[in-house]
mmCIF file of all heavy atoms in Angstrom:
data_model
loop_
_atom_site.group_PDB
_atom_site.id
_atom_site.type_symbol
_atom_site.label_atom_id
_atom_site.label_comp_id
_atom_site.label_asym_id
_atom_site.label_seq_id
_atom_site.Cartn_x
_atom_site.Cartn_y
_atom_site.Cartn_z
ATOM 1 N N TRP A 275 -92.169 26.690 12.891
ATOM 2 C CA TRP A 275 -93.278 26.211 13.608
ATOM 3 C C TRP A 275 -93.160 24.683 14.028
ATOM 4 O O TRP A 275 -94.094 23.910 14.248
ATOM 5 C CB TRP A 275 -94.603 26.301 12.778
ATOM 6 C CG TRP A 275 -94.916 27.781 12.660
ATOM 7 C CD1 TRP A 275 -94.594 28.777 13.479
ATOM 8 C CD2 TRP A 275 -95.809 28.353 11.633
ATOM 9 N NE1 TRP A 275 -95.092 30.059 12.963
ATOM 10 C CE2 TRP A 275 -95.810 29.748 11.898
ATOM 11 C CE3 TRP A 275 -96.490 27.816 10.559
ATOM 12 C CZ2 TRP A 275 -96.579 30.643 11.133
ATOM 13 C CZ3 TRP A 275 -97.248 28.779 9.812
ATOM 14 C CH2 TRP A 275 -97.247 30.056 10.035
ATOM 15 N N LEU A 276 -91.862 24.220 14.028
ATOM 16 C CA LEU A 276 -91.566 22.919 14.570
ATOM 17 C C LEU A 276 -90.307 23.138 15.510
ATOM 18 O O LEU A 276 -89.521 23.969 15.231
ATOM 19 C CB LEU A 276 -91.136 22.032 13.372
ATOM 20 C CG LEU A 276 -90.991 20.575 13.664
ATOM 21 C CD1 LEU A 276 -92.266 19.902 14.283
ATOM 22 C CD2 LEU A 276 -90.653 19.823 12.390
ATOM 23 N N GLY A 277 -90.270 22.276 16.561
ATOM 24 C CA GLY A 277 -89.232 22.514 17.494
ATOM 25 C C GLY A 277 -89.248 23.833 18.134
ATOM 26 O O GLY A 277 -88.223 24.397 18.540
ATOM 27 N N MET A 278 -90.518 24.325 18.368
ATOM 28 C CA MET A 278 -90.710 25.715 18.873
ATOM 29 C C MET A 278 -90.148 25.778 20.304
ATOM 30 O O MET A 278 -89.470 26.889 20.572
ATOM 31 C CB MET A 278 -92.073 26.108 18.801
ATOM 32 C CG MET A 278 -92.685 26.301 17.423
ATOM 33 S SD MET A 278 -94.394 26.775 17.350
ATOM 34 C CE MET A 278 -94.247 28.463 17.882
ATOM 35 N N THR A 279 -90.326 24.812 21.145
ATOM 36 C CA THR A 279 -89.796 24.882 22.458
ATOM 37 C C THR A 279 -88.462 24.317 22.681
ATOM 38 O O THR A 279 -87.921 24.355 23.812
ATOM 39 C CB THR A 279 -90.773 24.179 23.486
ATOM 40 O OG1 THR A 279 -90.874 22.776 23.076
ATOM 41 C CG2 THR A 279 -92.204 24.748 23.414
ATOM 42 N N ILE A 280 -87.777 23.928 21.666
ATOM 43 C CA ILE A 280 -86.299 23.470 21.703
ATOM 44 C C ILE A 280 -85.494 24.705 21.742
ATOM 45 O O ILE A 280 -85.590 25.607 20.846
ATOM 46 C CB ILE A 280 -85.989 22.562 20.510
ATOM 47 C CG1 ILE A 280 -86.898 21.303 20.593
ATOM 48 C CG2 ILE A 280 -84.507 22.218 20.547
ATOM 49 C CD1 ILE A 280 -86.671 20.406 19.399
ATOM 50 N N PRO A 281 -84.519 24.852 22.693
ATOM 51 C CA PRO A 281 -83.642 25.998 22.649
ATOM 52 C C PRO A 281 -82.809 26.163 21.262
ATOM 53 O O PRO A 281 -82.625 25.187 20.686
ATOM 54 C CB PRO A 281 -82.660 25.694 23.775
ATOM 55 C CG PRO A 281 -83.446 24.749 24.692
ATOM 56 C CD PRO A 281 -84.272 23.948 23.740
ATOM 57 N N VAL A 282 -82.425 27.378 21.075
ATOM 58 C CA VAL A 282 -81.806 27.643 19.792
ATOM 59 C C VAL A 282 -80.446 26.927 19.698
ATOM 60 O O VAL A 282 -80.124 26.470 18.601
ATOM 61 C CB VAL A 282 -81.531 29.204 19.734
ATOM 62 C CG1 VAL A 282 -80.704 29.581 18.492
ATOM 63 C CG2 VAL A 282 -82.874 29.943 19.664
ATOM 64 N N GLU A 283 -79.819 26.761 20.885
ATOM 65 C CA GLU A 283 -78.463 26.041 20.793
ATOM 66 C C GLU A 283 -78.678 24.580 20.319
ATOM 67 O O GLU A 283 -77.636 23.957 19.980
ATOM 68 C CB GLU A 283 -77.793 26.065 22.069
ATOM 69 C CG GLU A 283 -78.552 25.529 23.287
ATOM 70 C CD GLU A 283 -79.293 26.539 24.048
ATOM 71 O OE1 GLU A 283 -79.795 27.521 23.503
ATOM 72 O OE2 GLU A 283 -79.471 26.483 25.305
ATOM 73 N N TYR A 284 -79.822 24.074 20.396
ATOM 74 C CA TYR A 284 -80.022 22.669 19.855
ATOM 75 C C TYR A 284 -80.906 22.633 18.542
ATOM 76 O O TYR A 284 -81.458 21.620 18.211
ATOM 77 C CB TYR A 284 -80.729 21.875 20.935
ATOM 78 C CG TYR A 284 -80.005 21.700 22.228
ATOM 79 C CD1 TYR A 284 -80.487 22.164 23.429
ATOM 80 C CD2 TYR A 284 -78.700 21.021 22.172
ATOM 81 C CE1 TYR A 284 -79.762 22.092 24.567
ATOM 82 C CE2 TYR A 284 -78.028 21.000 23.439
ATOM 83 C CZ TYR A 284 -78.551 21.439 24.512
ATOM 84 O OH TYR A 284 -77.776 21.389 25.733
ATOM 85 N N GLY A 285 -80.844 23.742 17.911
ATOM 86 C CA GLY A 285 -81.529 23.806 16.565
ATOM 87 C C GLY A 285 -82.972 24.207 16.607
ATOM 88 O O GLY A 285 -83.672 24.235 15.553
ATOM 89 N N GLY A 286 -83.544 24.520 17.841
ATOM 90 C CA GLY A 286 -84.956 24.906 17.893
ATOM 91 C C GLY A 286 -85.179 26.413 17.751
ATOM 92 O O GLY A 286 -84.286 27.095 17.373
ATOM 93 N N ARG A 287 -86.316 26.833 18.169
ATOM 94 C CA ARG A 287 -86.731 28.225 18.075
ATOM 95 C C ARG A 287 -86.730 29.061 19.367
ATOM 96 O O ARG A 287 -86.864 30.119 19.376
ATOM 97 C CB ARG A 287 -88.099 28.345 17.356
ATOM 98 C CG ARG A 287 -88.096 27.637 16.044
ATOM 99 C CD ARG A 287 -87.296 28.432 14.981
ATOM 100 N NE ARG A 287 -87.095 27.625 13.780
ATOM 101 C CZ ARG A 287 -86.675 28.249 12.659
ATOM 102 N NH1 ARG A 287 -86.316 29.414 12.633
ATOM 103 N NH2 ARG A 287 -86.701 27.472 11.546
ATOM 104 N N GLY A 288 -86.640 28.245 20.531
ATOM 105 C CA GLY A 288 -86.562 28.936 21.775
ATOM 106 C C GLY A 288 -87.833 29.707 22.121
ATOM 107 O O GLY A 288 -87.742 30.690 22.836
ATOM 108 N N ARG A 289 -88.922 29.181 21.740
ATOM 109 C CA ARG A 289 -90.267 29.833 21.930
ATOM 110 C C ARG A 289 -91.021 29.187 23.123
ATOM 111 O O ARG A 289 -90.560 28.154 23.573
ATOM 112 C CB ARG A 289 -91.049 30.017 20.638
ATOM 113 C CG ARG A 289 -90.259 30.747 19.620
ATOM 114 C CD ARG A 289 -90.922 30.866 18.257
ATOM 115 N NE ARG A 289 -92.032 31.864 18.258
ATOM 116 C CZ ARG A 289 -92.721 32.284 17.193
ATOM 117 N NH1 ARG A 289 -92.320 31.768 15.980
ATOM 118 N NH2 ARG A 289 -93.648 33.165 17.383
ATOM 119 N N SER A 290 -92.017 29.715 23.476
ATOM 120 C CA SER A 290 -92.814 29.256 24.624
ATOM 121 C C SER A 290 -93.816 28.163 24.305
ATOM 122 O O SER A 290 -94.201 27.888 23.114
ATOM 123 C CB SER A 290 -93.612 30.413 25.290
ATOM 124 O OG SER A 290 -94.736 30.732 24.444
ATOM 125 N N PHE A 291 -94.256 27.429 25.423
ATOM 126 C CA PHE A 291 -95.234 26.309 25.260
ATOM 127 C C PHE A 291 -96.481 26.936 24.825
ATOM 128 O O PHE A 291 -97.354 26.225 24.021
ATOM 129 C CB PHE A 291 -95.375 25.561 26.509
ATOM 130 C CG PHE A 291 -94.397 24.643 26.865
ATOM 131 C CD1 PHE A 291 -93.253 24.917 27.692
ATOM 132 C CD2 PHE A 291 -94.500 23.312 26.360
ATOM 133 C CE1 PHE A 291 -92.318 23.911 27.967
ATOM 134 C CE2 PHE A 291 -93.598 22.255 26.656
ATOM 135 C CZ PHE A 291 -92.487 22.685 27.375
ATOM 136 N N LEU A 292 -96.907 28.153 25.224
ATOM 137 C CA LEU A 292 -98.074 28.803 24.754
ATOM 138 C C LEU A 292 -98.059 29.061 23.161
ATOM 139 O O LEU A 292 -99.043 28.903 22.507
ATOM 140 C CB LEU A 292 -98.353 30.007 25.441
ATOM 141 C CG LEU A 292 -99.244 29.923 26.799
ATOM 142 C CD1 LEU A 292 -99.293 31.265 27.453
ATOM 143 C CD2 LEU A 292 -100.534 29.372 26.450
ATOM 144 N N GLU A 293 -96.930 29.522 22.763
ATOM 145 C CA GLU A 293 -96.754 29.782 21.344
ATOM 146 C C GLU A 293 -96.918 28.364 20.513
ATOM 147 O O GLU A 293 -97.677 28.347 19.478
ATOM 148 C CB GLU A 293 -95.451 30.380 20.963
ATOM 149 C CG GLU A 293 -95.360 31.861 21.402
ATOM 150 C CD GLU A 293 -93.955 32.461 21.212
ATOM 151 O OE1 GLU A 293 -93.062 31.894 21.808
ATOM 152 O OE2 GLU A 293 -93.914 33.411 20.441
ATOM 153 N N ARG A 294 -96.240 27.386 21.014
ATOM 154 C CA ARG A 294 -96.553 26.061 20.459
ATOM 155 C C ARG A 294 -98.012 25.690 20.518
ATOM 156 O O ARG A 294 -98.603 25.042 19.557
ATOM 157 C CB ARG A 294 -95.624 25.085 21.081
ATOM 158 C CG ARG A 294 -95.774 23.684 20.453
ATOM 159 C CD ARG A 294 -94.943 22.568 21.104
ATOM 160 N NE ARG A 294 -95.131 21.333 20.306
ATOM 161 C CZ ARG A 294 -96.236 20.520 20.598
ATOM 162 N NH1 ARG A 294 -97.135 20.733 21.459
ATOM 163 N NH2 ARG A 294 -96.365 19.413 19.906
ATOM 164 N N PHE A 295 -98.694 25.829 21.545
ATOM 165 C CA PHE A 295 -100.085 25.566 21.820
ATOM 166 C C PHE A 295 -100.952 26.177 20.609
ATOM 167 O O PHE A 295 -101.771 25.537 20.127
ATOM 168 C CB PHE A 295 -100.561 25.946 23.164
ATOM 169 C CG PHE A 295 -101.982 25.740 23.337
ATOM 170 C CD1 PHE A 295 -102.494 24.467 23.726
ATOM 171 C CD2 PHE A 295 -102.943 26.672 23.154
ATOM 172 C CE1 PHE A 295 -103.830 24.162 23.877
ATOM 173 C CE2 PHE A 295 -104.301 26.574 23.319
ATOM 174 C CZ PHE A 295 -104.729 25.274 23.721
ATOM 175 N N VAL A 296 -100.716 27.504 20.439
ATOM 176 C CA VAL A 296 -101.455 28.192 19.493
ATOM 177 C C VAL A 296 -101.201 27.526 18.047
ATOM 178 O O VAL A 296 -102.231 27.320 17.328
ATOM 179 C CB VAL A 296 -101.108 29.599 19.421
ATOM 180 C CG1 VAL A 296 -101.672 30.324 18.165
ATOM 181 C CG2 VAL A 296 -101.597 30.370 20.675
ATOM 182 N N VAL A 297 -99.965 27.315 17.695
ATOM 183 C CA VAL A 297 -99.698 26.722 16.378
ATOM 184 C C VAL A 297 -100.339 25.284 16.251
ATOM 185 O O VAL A 297 -101.013 25.038 15.266
ATOM 186 C CB VAL A 297 -98.131 26.660 16.164
ATOM 187 C CG1 VAL A 297 -97.797 25.885 14.910
ATOM 188 C CG2 VAL A 297 -97.542 28.055 16.122
ATOM 189 N N THR A 298 -100.135 24.444 17.223
ATOM 190 C CA THR A 298 -100.714 23.094 17.139
ATOM 191 C C THR A 298 -102.180 23.211 17.049
ATOM 192 O O THR A 298 -102.821 22.309 16.298
ATOM 193 C CB THR A 298 -100.184 22.181 18.277
ATOM 194 O OG1 THR A 298 -100.475 22.817 19.510
ATOM 195 C CG2 THR A 298 -98.606 22.104 18.094
ATOM 196 N N GLU A 299 -102.820 24.007 17.854
ATOM 197 C CA GLU A 299 -104.199 24.030 17.903
ATOM 198 C C GLU A 299 -104.822 24.447 16.563
ATOM 199 O O GLU A 299 -105.750 23.907 15.981
ATOM 200 C CB GLU A 299 -104.746 25.043 18.920
ATOM 201 C CG GLU A 299 -106.243 25.010 19.193
ATOM 202 C CD GLU A 299 -106.764 25.834 20.300
ATOM 203 O OE1 GLU A 299 -106.422 27.001 20.375
ATOM 204 O OE2 GLU A 299 -107.434 25.345 21.229
ATOM 205 N N GLU A 300 -104.185 25.366 15.911
ATOM 206 C CA GLU A 300 -104.692 25.782 14.517
ATOM 207 C C GLU A 300 -104.451 24.730 13.479
ATOM 208 O O GLU A 300 -105.333 24.456 12.631
ATOM 209 C CB GLU A 300 -103.964 27.070 14.027
ATOM 210 C CG GLU A 300 -104.539 28.296 14.753
ATOM 211 C CD GLU A 300 -105.903 28.602 14.454
ATOM 212 O OE1 GLU A 300 -106.355 28.460 13.270
ATOM 213 O OE2 GLU A 300 -106.692 28.861 15.433
ATOM 214 N N LEU A 301 -103.345 24.060 13.556
ATOM 215 C CA LEU A 301 -102.997 22.939 12.749
ATOM 216 C C LEU A 301 -104.057 21.764 12.858
ATOM 217 O O LEU A 301 -104.524 21.219 11.817
ATOM 218 C CB LEU A 301 -101.660 22.358 12.966
ATOM 219 C CG LEU A 301 -100.450 23.373 12.516
ATOM 220 C CD1 LEU A 301 -99.147 22.749 12.943
ATOM 221 C CD2 LEU A 301 -100.458 23.554 11.016
ATOM 222 N N LEU A 302 -104.312 21.419 14.098
ATOM 223 C CA LEU A 302 -105.269 20.379 14.310
ATOM 224 C C LEU A 302 -106.698 20.729 13.917
ATOM 225 O O LEU A 302 -107.383 19.830 13.365
ATOM 226 C CB LEU A 302 -105.257 20.020 15.755
ATOM 227 C CG LEU A 302 -103.906 19.365 16.235
ATOM 228 C CD1 LEU A 302 -103.786 19.307 17.818
ATOM 229 C CD2 LEU A 302 -103.871 17.909 15.710
ATOM 230 N N ALA A 303 -107.081 21.964 14.290
ATOM 231 C CA ALA A 303 -108.474 22.347 13.857
ATOM 232 C C ALA A 303 -108.654 22.320 12.369
ATOM 233 O O ALA A 303 -109.743 22.037 11.862
ATOM 234 C CB ALA A 303 -108.739 23.710 14.355
ATOM 235 N N ALA A 304 -107.558 22.613 11.621
ATOM 236 C CA ALA A 304 -107.650 22.568 10.138
ATOM 237 C C ALA A 304 -107.623 21.117 9.588
ATOM 238 O O ALA A 304 -107.721 20.933 8.349
ATOM 239 C CB ALA A 304 -106.545 23.453 9.511
ATOM 240 N N GLY A 305 -107.236 20.260 10.439
ATOM 241 C CA GLY A 305 -107.042 18.774 9.943
ATOM 242 C C GLY A 305 -105.695 18.674 9.153
ATOM 243 O O GLY A 305 -105.640 17.894 8.248
ATOM 244 N N ALA A 306 -104.708 19.486 9.440
ATOM 245 C CA ALA A 306 -103.393 19.434 8.728
ATOM 246 C C ALA A 306 -102.735 18.140 9.043
ATOM 247 O O ALA A 306 -102.732 17.591 10.170
ATOM 248 C CB ALA A 306 -102.642 20.593 9.091
ATOM 249 N N PRO A 307 -101.934 17.597 8.044
ATOM 250 C CA PRO A 307 -101.198 16.255 8.273
ATOM 251 C C PRO A 307 -99.939 16.490 9.106
ATOM 252 O O PRO A 307 -98.869 16.805 8.505
ATOM 253 C CB PRO A 307 -100.895 15.919 6.819
ATOM 254 C CG PRO A 307 -100.766 17.107 6.050
ATOM 255 C CD PRO A 307 -101.738 18.143 6.717
ATOM 256 N N VAL A 308 -100.008 16.298 10.340
ATOM 257 C CA VAL A 308 -98.835 16.637 11.211
ATOM 258 C C VAL A 308 -98.300 15.319 11.926
ATOM 259 O O VAL A 308 -97.411 15.451 12.793
ATOM 260 C CB VAL A 308 -99.325 17.591 12.296
ATOM 261 C CG1 VAL A 308 -99.625 18.958 11.700
ATOM 262 C CG2 VAL A 308 -100.471 17.039 13.157
ATOM 263 N N ALA A 309 -98.733 14.197 11.471
ATOM 264 C CA ALA A 309 -98.428 12.983 12.257
ATOM 265 C C ALA A 309 -96.918 12.665 12.221
ATOM 266 O O ALA A 309 -96.341 12.096 13.173
ATOM 267 C CB ALA A 309 -99.165 11.669 11.630
#
């Protein structure tokens, strides 16, 4: 759930901006420490 939109060849997950949006929205709504 980090580097989600970074391509796999650069160590990321190669996932979409929307998937990242969902993850970050949940983390922020919960007040998780993501700074």
